Amino acid sequence: MQKIYAAITAVHGYVPDYVLTNHELETMVDTNDEWITSRTGIKERRILKGEGLATSDMAVPAVKGLLEKRGIGAEEIDLIIFCTSTPDMVFPATANILADKVGAKNAWGYDLQAACSGFVFGLTTGAQFIESGKHKKVLVVGGDKMSSIVNYEDRTTCIIFGDGCAAVLLEPNEEGFGLVDSVLKSDGSGRPFLNLKAGGSLRPASYETIDNKEHFAYQEGQAVFKFAVTNMADVAAEVMERNNLTAEDIAWLVPHQANKRIIDATANRCGVSSDKVMINIHRYGNTTNGTIPLCLWEWESKLKKGDNLILAAFGGGFTWGAAYLKWAY
Ligand code: UT7
């Protein structure tokens, strides 16, 4: 029997209209455009403004746009995997909320939590349901409303993150296009360095957790940087090596957009020249689960059938991983 691959057959994204520039941040915390640009590569990020708007509200236009592009109805979706670290609520799953909002009446779904590696983990997980023959149409959504967990008085984190969301559709392909391989890793001993301390079962919300600002993302930047810069590069190189790929074989490197210096190190390690690296960190910052699918969305018109893509990510947990994808259209 012919092997079934899980191919991306459509991608669409959404970023909110509000642009938070480095200059505006200069009026909020003790920072400056030069520092942010040279240390991170970020110039601006998008923020979802407005009462009652959550991560799923960015996913709705992303998914509606995707369905329209592909020319299918929401009721054809079998499964939704929503990769996010900022779910609308602790429960029910944002995947369920999204299914209701877009009318995906025949889909089941769940949220996947792997911080910034979420989309690579979700893509690999979603692909299993296609490869097994169990499902025909799987939506993998990656997105975060990071502004809901960012402390805009903490200059070490508020300059990095932004809001955004994008989705891909996975469908069966028997010609060898789609997800070919992935390497996924995690190390829970990294949890002290990047986390959100309260609001879970360990530290339920209380006046104390609020006073201590424990409902905001906490990061020890340098420690995370050290792990990220080596592990993201290593895992990208590993997936290339075990598939006998050299830099010449790669059409695009699609790195998680956490820091331009980490992106450059990953590209160097893989030997991939900068013109083959998808970078939009200067406009969107770090949208956590949104970065990689947002890149795919923005570069969609440049992608060609058969292009070899390497996706690579690193995030809180720690989690990290890379995927080798043969573009299908
Ligand atoms: O996406 C998931 C995984 N996350 C990551 O991959 C992020 C990894 N970490 C990083 O990207 C970087 O560590 C940061 C961008 C967060 C920080 O950059 P850094 O080059 O590691 O800076 P640092 O934390 O070592 O701080 C250097 C200096 C410090 O001042 P002193 O102690 O040298 O006087 C900071 O207080 O820069 C200061 N600083 C700032 N100055 C101006 C920290 N944040 C700022 C700021 N503006 N926003």
Side-chain angles (χ1 to χ4, degrees):
M1 210 179 82
Q2 195 75 20
K3 177 176 169 17
I4 302 170
Y5 286 81
I8 293 178
T9 56
V11 55
H12 205 70
Y14 174 83
V15 288
D17 292 335
Y18 191 86
V19 179
L20 175 59
T21 62
N22 288 352
H23 294 296
E24 188 177 350
L25 282 168
E26 285 173 2
T27 68
M28 297 159 67
V29 288
D30 180 15
T31 191
N32 58 79
D33 176 52
E34 200 283 318
W35 191 96
I36 303 172
T37 308
S38 61
R39 297 289 179 121
T40 70
I42 302 167
K43 291 299 243 183
E44 57 189 43
R45 64 293 287 144
R46 300 300 180 98
I47 304 294
L48 184 65
K49 296 263 188 187
E51 277 298 304
L53 294 178
T55 300
S56 70
D57 294 298
M58 295 188 288
V60 169
V63 168
K64 283 190 173 165
L66 177 150
L67 294 172
E68 201 180 310
K69 251 184 206 172
R70 186 72 186 102
I72 60 168
E75 68 289 346
E76 291 180 56
I77 303 300
D78 300 308
L79 165 63
I80 299 175
I81 300 176
F82 205 130
C83 313
T84 185
S85 297
T86 51
D88 288 17
M89 295 183 253
V90 173
F91 73 87
T94 308
N96 292 45
I97 298 169
L98 175 63
D100 179 52
K101 286 185 175 177
V102 299
K105 293 189 181 344
N106 299 309
W108 67 288
Y110 57 91
D111 292 359
L112 190 149
Q113 163 62 287
C116 297
S117 309
F119 184 76
V120 178
F121 282 32
L123 190 68
T124 305
T125 314
Q128 311 286 315
F129 289 93
I130 298 287
E131 290 164 8
S132 69
K134 177 94 180 151
H135 289 319
K136 302 282 182 239
K137 288 182 172 55
V138 174
L139 267 183
V140 182
V141 185
D144 277 290
K145 184 187 171 187
M146 292 305 292
S147 60
S148 66
I149 56 165
V150 162
N151 177 2
Y152 287 96
E153 293 175 351
D154 174 8
R155 69 176 183 174
T156 68
T157 51
C158 74
I159 54 134
I160 300 169
F161 294 106
D163 302 338
C165 184
V168 301
L169 181 67
L170 294 177
E171 293 186 82
N173 182 293
E174 293 188 4
E175 295 164 357
F177 299 104
L179 182 69
V180 182
D181 193 16
S182 58
V183 180
L184 307 177
K185 314 224 181 199
S186 62
D187 177 359
S189 70
R191 66 191 179 282
F193 305 110
L194 181 50
N195 58 45
L196 196 152
K197 291 187 173 49
S201 56
L202 179 64
R203 283 185 65 71
S206 67
Y207 290 111
E208 192 192 349
T209 62
I210 290 169
D211 287 345
N212 291 344
K213 301 189 190 309
E214 290 174 2
H215 296 273
F216 292 126
Y218 169 84
Q219 175 169 255
E220 290 178 30
Q222 268 190 28
V224 178
F225 187 92
K226 274 185 207 146
F227 271 86
V229 81
T230 47
N231 286 312
M232 193 165 123
D234 283 353
V235 80
E238 186 180 338
V239 88
M240 282 175 63
E241 274 156 29
R242 76 181 203 185
N243 288 281
N244 300 313
L245 294 167
T246 64
E248 288 70 50
D249 301 316
I250 305 303
W252 294 101
L253 175 66
V254 195
H256 169 53
Q257 314 277 308
N259 187 315
K260 174 75 165 47
R261 291 181 287 146
I262 300 174
I263 295 173
D264 291 345
T266 305
N268 279 342
R269 175 82 163 77
C270 297
V272 173
S273 55
S274 58
D275 56 321
K276 292 184 182 179
V277 186
M278 295 187 191
I279 301 178
N280 57 16
I281 191 171
H282 50 295
R283 288 186 296 126
Y284 301 146
N286 182 351
T287 55
T288 303
N289 286 272
T291 59
I292 290 177
L294 280 171
C295 279
L296 294 176
W297 171 50
E298 289 212 327
W299 266 261
E300 187 189 17
S301 62
K302 294 197 178 78
L303 295 170
K304 293 194 286 293
K305 188 171 180 175
D307 274 355
N308 290 324
L309 273 58
I310 298 292
L311 281 48
F314 184 92
F318 293 132
T319 55
W320 64 106
Y324 164 33
L325 200 69
K326 228 175 216 318
W327 197 250
Y329 62 98

